[in-house]
Amino acid sequence: MGILKGVKRFLNAFVYPYDFVLPFSEASLMLGGTIANFHSQRNVLIDRLAELSMPTMVIWGDRDPVVPYHHAHDAAKLIKDCTVKIFSGSGHSVY
């Protein structure tokens, strides 16, 4: 119990008073470091795309610096009922 109080004091004194601002979200930092193409991912699921049985739309940005947009077309070829929407001028986070 004493350790938890010490950790709480440390966080209150040194971490919580500061507002950290990252230029990217934590998720995009983790994702960007592991994905460059379909084959360098840690969890490669490309072989399972053909299992999708529902209508699917693959959405991509044409200026995605993490995974180039031509991968959207590669994925769509493997999905039975798939359409592709490429947003011009958009990067990795298309919304």
Side-chain angles (χ1 to χ4, degrees):
M1 198 63 149
I3 293 173
L4 293 177
K5 287 182 181 180
V7 169
K8 186 175 179 180
R9 283 187 198 143
F10 174 82
L11 291 174
N12 286 331
F14 297 105
V15 177
Y16 294 139
Y18 302 100
D19 185 22
F20 295 100
V21 178
L22 296 174
F24 303 101
S25 71
E26 289 182 41
S28 68
L29 289 174
M30 291 187 308
L31 193 62
T34 59
I35 297 177
N37 59 47
F38 280 135
H39 300 290
S40 67
Q41 296 181 40
R42 290 185 187 163
N43 297 317
V44 179
L45 301 175
I46 192 167
D47 296 333
R48 300 199 61 197
L49 291 177
E51 296 175 23
L52 294 173
S53 60
M54 73 290 288
T56 305
M57 178 180 280
V58 174
I59 299 172
W60 225 278
D62 71 343
R63 294 187 180 183
D64 187 338
V66 179
V67 184
Y69 74 92
H70 65 84
H71 289 287
H73 298 289
D74 295 340
K77 290 176 188 173
L78 301 172
I79 302 170
K80 293 174 188 126
D81 185 9
C82 185
T83 57
V84 176
K85 173 64 178 161
I86 305 292
F87 286 88
S88 64
S90 293
H92 189 70
S93 298
V94 181
Y95 52 85

